[in-house]
Amino acid sequence: DEILFKQPESSHLGDCQICCLPHSIDHKKSSLSACCTKWICNGCLVANVIRERKEKLEQKCVFCRKKSNLTAKESELLFNKRIEANDPNALRQMGTIYGAQANFAKAMEFLTKAAKLGDAESHYDLGMMYGHRLPFSTAGKDMKKARYHLEEAAIAGHPEARLQLGIVEVESKRMDRAVKHFIIAANLGLDEAIQALKGYYADGAVSKEDFA
């Protein structure tokens, strides 16, 4: 429990590869480069585009400097190279693609590979699938595996995983553990956790002492 309930210094997303500032937990504020599968904050992407247009330069990836206007075939070739290199971001992305195609066996195969390499997002997805907390979950329900993957994601700083673990503890009527998870998720900036704490405080299920 000491490791599980330790407040992470930052979220699982880490820092932008360019400006070195922490990524927002809002995924819409960062983008995955197709060429090198690096997460770059939108601020750096926009700044790079403005610089290239101002100086009339060829548009290139802000990280690996490959040209940005790749054909679909070129993008696929580079992406497959990242898969072959066991890049966790690429493996997870492939798992997501298979999931969108309803090929859940292949989705879990790639997510499992990425999770074994320490990818927190893949741990989270697997936890949600094993716990049947997604409408399309087809994996056999296994709460032991679900808890394992959610805890691995949470320890790595995944706020949504914390929220789910808190919900599991609420369902098990272990509010003391639930509150700890919600507080950690709230400190990482997850609004859903903040709202949950407000609700439980208003209902009297949480006291001021729980926040100490």
Side-chain angles (χ1 to χ4, degrees), residues 6-27:
K6 183 179 180 181
Q7 179 72 49
E9 293 182 3
S10 62
S11 82
H12 65 296
L13 297 172
D15 299 336
C16 171
Q17 298 284 337
I18 303 303
C19 65
C20 297
L21 292 175
H23 278 296
S24 168
I25 61 172
D26 183 351
H27 291 284

Side-chain angles (χ1 to χ4, degrees), residues 171-186:
E171 292 170 349
S172 301
K173 301 187 184 305
R174 297 194 293 186
M175 284 302 299
D176 57 330
R177 295 176 67 85
V179 168
K180 289 180 181 179
H181 284 303
F182 291 144
I183 289 175
I184 292 173

Side-chain angles (χ1 to χ4, degrees), residues 123-192:
H123 274 300
Y124 172 71
D125 288 343
L126 288 168
M128 295 294 282
M129 293 173 81
Y130 279 120
H132 281 203
R133 292 183 177 273
L134 295 174
F136 52 78
S137 295
T138 59
K141 189 170 184 178
D142 189 328
M143 287 309 297
K144 185 176 181 180
K145 287 184 178 179
R147 182 181 285 275
Y148 165 75
H149 285 294
L150 287 174
E151 287 184 351
E152 287 295 307
I155 290 169
H158 198 298
E160 287 89 354
R162 283 282 173 195
L163 180 69
Q164 290 300 321
L165 286 170
I167 292 171
V168 170
E169 297 296 2
V170 169
E171 292 170 349
S172 301
K173 301 187 184 305
R174 297 194 293 186
M175 284 302 299
D176 57 330
R177 295 176 67 85
V179 168
K180 289 180 181 179
H181 284 303
F182 291 144
I183 289 175
I184 292 173
N187 286 336
L188 288 171
L190 188 66
D191 186 63
E192 291 92 331

